[in-house]
Amino acid sequence: RKVVKLIIEGYKGEAGVKAFHINEARCLVLKETVPAIGISWGAGTITVHAGIFGVPIFEFSVVGAGDWVDIEAARRFGYDPAHPNGEYQETPTTICRRKESMNLKVAPEDRVGQAIYLMYEILIENVVKGITEGFKENRGKFRFDKPVNIVNAGGTSMPDDFIEMLNR
């Protein structure tokens, strides 16, 4: 963020540009005219924004997302992140490839699929807890008369039936 800001502000004299950052999840719901939650399911971080008309009610990030799923699932099969070049049955790379073709509708029967499925359950549970806490901590700062739209994006949310798993 700081490097990009320095580059952009380097053009300040020429174009009068002032750089500022915006939460990635907030970008997902800026156009929403009803209360909305944006969730960006990235590889390293999940960002969450809840707001209305582009005004935040709360925002937070969860460190450890798709990469965390890969590493933690691989650990179940002996992978040691301190020694990534060892000979392993499963690595974060093999887990990542497996995720791309996974269906999260039901828990798989094979052990690798089960490990990935479990990590997704934990990850989603942590995000939902954060959203619940955000609303509890900010009670009184908002009033919703309409349903809340939820917009999801990002590579970690790409497996089939991710949204169904999120809705459970």
Side-chain angles (χ1 to χ4, degrees), residues 101-108 113 117 120-121 159-166 168:
S101 62
M102 246 184 106
N103 182 318
L104 298 174
K105 192 172 206 163
V106 294
Y117 188 88
Y120 263 98
E121 283 185 325
D160 289 343
D161 292 315
F162 174 84
I163 299 302
E164 285 74 9
M165 184 180 225
L166 178 63
R168 281 189 231 143

Side-chain angles (χ1 to χ4, degrees), residues 41 68-69 102 104-108 113-129 162 165-166 168:
W41 300 87
W68 176 83
V69 169
M102 246 184 106
L104 298 174
K105 192 172 206 163
V106 294
Q114 289 172 351
I116 295 168
Y117 188 88
L118 175 63
M119 295 306 119
Y120 263 98
E121 283 185 325
I122 292 168
L123 188 65
I124 288 171
E125 183 179 315
N126 288 338
V127 171
V128 171
K129 279 182 184 176
F162 174 84
M165 184 180 225
L166 178 63
R168 281 189 231 143

Side-chain angles (χ1 to χ4, degrees), residues 30-64:
L30 277 176
K31 71 176 183 76
E32 297 290 330
T33 58
V34 295
I37 299 172
I39 309 172
S40 176
W41 300 87
T45 304
I46 298 166
T47 57
V48 177
H49 164 90
I52 185 166
F53 300 114
V55 177
I57 296 168
F58 64 86
E59 296 178 331
F60 67 91
S61 297
V62 175
V63 177

